[in-house]
Amino acid sequence: MTFDRIELIQSDITILTVDAIVNAANTSLLGGGGVDGAIHRAAGPELLEYCRKLDGCPTGEAKLTPGFNLPAKFIIHTVGPVWRGGQFDEDKLLASCYNRSLEIAASNEIQSVAFPAISTGVYGFPPARACKIAVRTIKNFLTANLLPKKVVLVCFDKKTCDLYRAIL
Ligand code: AR6
């Protein structure tokens, strides 16, 4: 069942033992605050060195790196849209982040992948709207694909967890 393949937890994403964690990065892929800063700190300086060679990443796209010092083997860096009121393709770009990350996971035989709530921090995407898009996009992808076997939705705060729980 597709539903069984989605798990919800409240945690720091950097401590999770999954095949891949997703980073809510910016187009430079050179680090930042929020979950991006936490991932760079936990993965170590080799991550930044590796990212320098990737030539950034457009909004709605994703790129794969090793996990370096993380328990996760890989990091999938995706760039969420900055919320600008909803008339600038924000919904579509956010769905694309989830889709492209899952496509990269599947094509690299990644069995388990953990997502933070992309764009809902510094980028200001309304959390309830973002969580709905995340769940819908992930469910559609899992219905059509055998990999990844498991998707973990990671919430840093209880409020996001409650939103996800209501939607799931
Ligand atoms: N583990 C899990 N979730 C986390 C963690 C963590 N360690 N830390 C924060 N969150 P944000 P964005 C949650 O701002 O909105 C960076 O500077 C957080 O509570 O990290 O996509 C990048 O470089 C929120 O629910 O990402 C970009 O410039 C969610 O992760 C920009 O921020 C996303 O918040 C991207 O902004």
Side-chain angles (χ1 to χ4, degrees):
M1 273 248 303
T2 306
F3 186 79
D4 296 341
R5 290 162 67 193
I6 302 177
E7 198 180 296
L8 177 64
I9 59 162
Q10 189 174 352
S11 173
D12 173 357
I13 202 168
T14 64
I15 66 165
L16 298 183
T17 306
V18 285
D19 286 352
I21 64 169
V22 175
N23 182 16
N26 59 60
T27 54
S28 78
L29 294 186
L30 298 180
V35 72
D36 194 6
I39 288 172
H40 273 268
R41 275 192 300 278
E46 274 177 298
L47 175 59
L48 181 59
E49 231 170 88
Y50 192 99
C51 284
R52 283 192 204 285
K53 297 178 202 136
L54 297 180
D55 197 26
C57 180
T59 303
E61 269 301 323
K63 289 193 178 177
L64 185 75
T65 73
F68 298 104
N69 296 338
L70 289 175
K73 276 187 242 136
F74 297 103
I75 306 164
I76 299 167
H77 304 260
T78 190
V79 183
V82 176
W83 180 258
R84 292 194 287 152
Q87 305 301 312
F88 295 88
D89 275 342
E90 292 97 324
D91 290 353
K92 214 185 283 174
L93 287 165
L94 185 63
S96 173
C97 288
Y98 285 94
N99 263 321
R100 288 293 301 129
S101 298
L102 289 164
E103 277 169 16
I104 287 175
S107 62
N108 287 278
E109 313 226 318
I110 285 167
Q111 311 282 317
S112 54
V113 57
F115 282 94
I118 299 162
S119 282
T120 65
V122 176
Y123 281 0
F125 208 106
R129 187 167 172 144
C131 291
K132 272 184 213 145
I133 292 168
V135 169
R136 186 175 61 227
T137 309
I138 292 165
K139 278 189 176 171
N140 284 344
F141 190 92
L142 294 183
T143 303
N145 295 276
L146 292 174
L147 284 178
K149 281 188 188 150
K150 173 148 280 182
V151 172
V152 186
L153 295 170
V154 185
C155 320
F156 208 40
D157 52 281
K158 187 178 172 294
K159 210 174 137 210
T160 307
C161 251
D162 290 344
L163 282 173
Y164 270 131
R165 202 168 290 116
I167 297 160
L168 286 165

